Amino acid sequence: MQRRKLGNSSLMVSPIGVGFWGIVGGDYWGAQDETDTVVQAALDSGINFFDTAEGYGDGYSEEMLGRALKSRRAEAVIATKVSTSNLAPAAIRAACERSLTRLQTDSIDLYQVHWPSRSVPFDDTMSTLLDLQREGKIRVIGVSNFGKLDMPDMLGCGRYEANQLPYSLLWRAIEYDIQPQCVERNISILPYSPLNQALLTGRYQSADEMPYSRTRTRHFRGDRRDSRHGTAGFEAETFAALEAIRAICADIGQEMTHVALAWLLHKPAVTSVLAGARNTRHVESNRQAGELALSDETMRRLDEATDDLKMKLGADPDMWGTGADSRYR
């Protein structure tokens, strides 16, 4: 599989990465046996990029990845994230050391701020990250979930090379204000939830068929279980867009999951798509998507099929809250 350069750094990553949020299982994602077969299959297929976080399973995801990569560390690019509660200088140092231990490595390739803090100054966090970089504890600095105002504020304190964001055919909010900044500054976009909580697998025909944990986003009614956005949602528009995407995929003879991932890889500033993989079949499917070329005409049709939903959901990138409840600025 080809490699793409991450921002202005020397890191070269596969266009498809493995996201380690879902692999921890739990109430949100469902049961998942611990296994290193996903990691081994990914490496064997040419996928070298693995993304986790200290907050995924309270460190369990990092532990799993560290064990799985122990004998093949040199083949992998490891990305992890520090939680918002650990962004003060002493806390970020301690968190980094814990992550290094769990990952069984001497250096983290991409260390990301998971969500921006509203209490710790960006300069305090960035200065500590730069110190950790000089010490060799981390190679490259990244952020995650940084919005249109947070991006330049953090850049004013120091350079980061990637912004990990929710981005998919059904969730295009970053295209308004964030993606243009990434293009201008050569900051890599790393999309998460690229299949929009399994909506873009084509498995579900209606909102009522979906597990309640997947109907918390702003696509769905605010009165659904555990929702916190309190709006009417856009269920009819979401499933109308899905039907249009389904028809386009049928026209070109490709699976919806492959098309959804490939669409992202054709978008400006997108370097690697973080796709979940709970078994080797998912790994192979994701690899195929990473090598799929879409024509300009197909890209245009896919954009048009989701333009109305994009407009109605608006420019706020928070999938779960909006207005005063949004975590973006």
Side-chain angles (χ1 to χ4, degrees):
M1 182 171 281
Q2 64 171 305
R3 297 289 183 261
R4 294 180 170 193
K5 188 176 182 180
L6 192 81
N8 290 336
S9 78
S10 62
L11 289 183
M12 300 298 291
V13 298
S14 50
I16 295 291
V18 180
F20 260 64
W21 179 17
I23 205 165
V24 299
D27 292 340
Y28 194 93
W29 294 106
Q32 170 74 32
D33 293 334
E34 180 176 352
T35 176
D36 69 355
T37 56
V38 165
V39 171
Q40 305 307 317
L43 290 170
D44 291 344
S45 71
I47 295 171
N48 75 335
F49 192 31
F50 301 88
D51 178 77
T52 182
E54 66 171 348
Y56 296 167
D58 195 23
Y60 181 51
S61 175
E62 289 182 326
E63 291 176 1
M64 291 176 68
L65 184 57
R67 283 193 290 270
L69 284 174
K70 187 174 182 179
S71 63
R72 303 181 69 175
R73 173 65 181 95
E75 300 175 56
V77 175
I78 295 177
T80 192
K81 296 182 282 295
V82 58
S83 300
T84 311
S85 57
N86 289 328
L87 294 182
I92 201 170
R93 279 192 165 276
C96 182
E97 292 293 343
R98 290 192 297 269
S99 290
L100 287 166
T101 299
R102 287 190 289 258
L103 289 164
Q104 300 187 44
T105 187
D106 295 326
S107 181
I108 295 165
D109 297 307
L110 176 64
Y111 198 46
Q112 305 155 103
V113 176
H114 204 154
W115 286 89
S117 174
R118 302 303 174 211
S119 58
V120 178
F122 285 179
D123 189 55
D124 288 355
T125 297
M126 180 58 82
S127 62
T128 308
L129 289 171
L130 290 169
D131 286 343
L132 290 168
Q133 188 178 49
R134 283 188 285 268
E135 294 163 17
K137 302 285 187 180
I138 62 179
R139 292 180 62 192
V140 174
I141 297 167
V143 298
S144 178
N145 300 302
F146 272 55
K148 64 179 181 180
L149 300 180
D150 286 327
M151 279 193 66
D153 284 355
M154 189 62 152
L155 279 173
C157 302
R159 172 77 186 179
Y160 56 87
E161 302 298 344
N163 193 358
Q164 187 176 147
L165 297 154
Y167 190 22
S168 75
L169 262 169
L170 298 177
W171 191 261
R172 296 170 56 191
I174 70 164
E175 294 179 355
Y176 288 99
D177 303 308
I178 299 174
Q179 190 173 55
Q181 293 191 54
C182 292
V183 171
E184 179 184 355
R185 294 167 172 83
N186 196 33
I187 293 170
S188 289
I189 294 172
L190 304 176
Y192 71 81
S193 292
L195 298 180
N196 215 119
Q197 311 278 294
L199 269 173
L200 285 162
T201 62
R203 187 184 312 158
Y204 303 108
Q205 306 296 319
S206 72
D208 293 335
E209 294 179 15
M210 299 184 67
Y212 76 86
S213 61
R214 313 292 176 83
T215 59
R216 297 167 52 227
T217 69
R218 289 198 282 122
H219 297 87
F220 302 97
R221 297 195 319 264
D223 60 357
R224 290 190 179 274
R225 180 177 169 183
D226 291 350
S227 174
R228 67 176 179 84
H229 61 77
T231 71
F234 300 98
E235 295 185 3
E237 293 87 346
T238 295
F239 283 90
L242 274 172
E243 283 305 309
I245 295 166
R246 196 188 313 275
I248 295 167
C249 294
D251 286 348
I252 64 174
Q254 295 289 341
E255 295 181 20
M256 186 184 293
T257 54
H258 293 175
V259 170
L261 297 179
W263 176 85
L264 285 166
L265 288 169
H266 287 66
K267 286 297 183 177
V270 172
T271 298
S272 184
V273 175
L274 302 174
R278 292 163 66 85
N279 53 54
T280 56
R281 179 174 56 83
H282 290 163
V283 171
E284 175 58 20
S285 178
N286 293 344
R287 182 198 64 78
Q288 292 175 22
E291 297 176 348
L292 176 62
L294 300 177
S295 69
D296 291 344
E297 173 64 12
T298 296
M299 290 294 293
R300 182 191 63 78
R301 292 179 66 193
L302 290 167
D303 285 352
E304 289 181 354
T306 55
D307 276 343
D308 180 61
L309 182 63
K310 171 187 172 179
M311 180 186 67
K312 288 180 176 175
L313 285 166
D316 188 338
D318 196 323
M319 293 177 67
W320 295 275
T322 190
D325 291 327
S326 177
R327 291 167 290 178
Y328 282 81
R329 63 179 287 276

